[in-house]
């Protein structure tokens, strides 16, 4: 299924074709090698002072980490994200080696996640970034401790059948993508 963005200016095809599906193929299996290029792209993202304040905790469908992540997703996210081939927890280190607060950590993590997402898309994988999860429970379940903090999650896998989604979500899955016009985001 194509959901190419309708843009005001031409953009790179990978960017135009990237979207955030909720329908993943529950039969498709992912391996560390499948995600290797996306993590390599994430590793090379820009970073303030080259601190690279990011880590990723990966659960592959069927393993213990995946199960722990699914258990702490919000109800609706549980209903579709469990079909993804992998769930990736994006974690930021908010303190520098010298003990100062790293006010750019979340921004740098976001850059890294963006690189991951674009490379995954280029490799034919679908991604969906989300924030609907119990952060306290997941922090404990995955043994994440300060100065590290969980920021977001990414479902990754092969595109699935949108008819598996609840009826009220199918229109969003199959309908056109929408964004604010440039005039609202560029001043």
């Amino acid at each position: 299924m194509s959901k190419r963005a309708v843009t005001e200016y031409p953009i790179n095809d990978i960017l135009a074709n990237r979207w955030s599906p909720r329908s993943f193929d529950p039969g498709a299996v992912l391996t560390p090698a499948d995600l290797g290029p996306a993590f390599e792209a994430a590793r090379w993202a820009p970073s303030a002072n080259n601190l690279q304040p990011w880590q990723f905790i990966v659960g592959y469908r069927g393993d213990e980490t995946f199960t722990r992540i699914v258990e702490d997703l919000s109800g609706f996210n549980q209903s579709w994200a469990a079909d993804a081939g992998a769930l990736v927890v994006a974690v930021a280190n908010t303190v520098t080696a010298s003990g100062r607060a790293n006010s750019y950590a979340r921004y740098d993590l976001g850059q890294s996640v963006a690189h991951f997402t674009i490379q995954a898309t280029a490799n034919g994988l679908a991604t969906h970034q989300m924030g609907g999860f119990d952060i306290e429970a997941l922090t404990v379940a995955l043994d994440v401790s300060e100065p590290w903090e969980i920021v977001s999650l990414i479902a990754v896998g092969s595109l699935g059948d949108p008819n598996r989604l609840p009826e009220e979500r199918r229109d969003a899955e199959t309908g056109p993508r929408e964004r604010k016009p440039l005039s609202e985001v560029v001043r």
Side-chain angles (χ1 to χ4, degrees):
M1 171 174 22
S2 174
K3 289 191 55 152
R4 186 172 179 86
V6 177
T7 62
E8 294 179 40
Y9 295 94
I11 62 173
N12 182 286
D13 284 341
I14 295 168
L15 295 169
N17 289 318
R18 185 223 56 84
W19 63 289
S20 300
R22 288 184 176 88
S23 54
F24 287 93
D25 180 353
V29 176
L30 288 182
T31 67
D34 294 323
L35 295 185
F39 285 122
E40 187 66 26
R43 182 169 81 106
W44 288 97
S47 171
N49 295 312
N50 201 27
L51 293 176
Q52 303 165 52
W54 53 73
Q55 286 186 351
F56 299 98
I57 302 169
V58 186
Y60 294 91
R61 189 175 344 104
D63 73 17
E64 184 178 335
T65 301
F66 188 92
T67 301
R68 286 181 178 170
I69 297 167
V70 169
E71 289 171 352
D72 292 322
L73 293 174
S74 65
F76 175 66
N77 283 347
Q78 272 186 354
S79 72
W80 60 266
D83 287 344
L87 294 172
V88 179
V89 180
V91 184
N93 181 344
T94 59
V95 177
T96 67
S98 65
R100 291 188 7 231
N102 181 354
S103 59
Y104 296 103
R106 290 171 202 84
Y107 177 84
D108 285 354
L109 172 64
Q111 291 247 43
S112 185
V113 167
H115 278 61
F116 175 95
T117 300
I118 297 306
Q119 186 63 53
T121 301
N123 292 351
L125 296 172
T127 62
H128 187 110
Q129 299 173 41
M130 65 185 122
F133 59 94
D134 183 334
I135 194 165
E136 289 83 16
L138 192 57
T139 297
V140 171
L142 298 179
D143 195 28
V144 176
S145 57
E146 291 182 1
W148 293 93
E149 67 177 42
I150 295 172
V151 176
S152 63
L153 301 179
I154 312 162
V156 187
S158 297
L159 198 56
D161 181 359
N163 291 316
R164 296 187 71 235
L165 294 172
E167 187 175 340
E168 65 274 8
R169 295 294 180 161
R170 282 185 217 139
D171 289 342
E173 192 77 359
T174 59
R177 294 169 56 195
E178 297 178 12
R179 284 289 192 267
K180 293 177 183 178
L182 278 178
S183 61
E184 288 186 34
V185 296
V186 179
R187 303 185 322 161

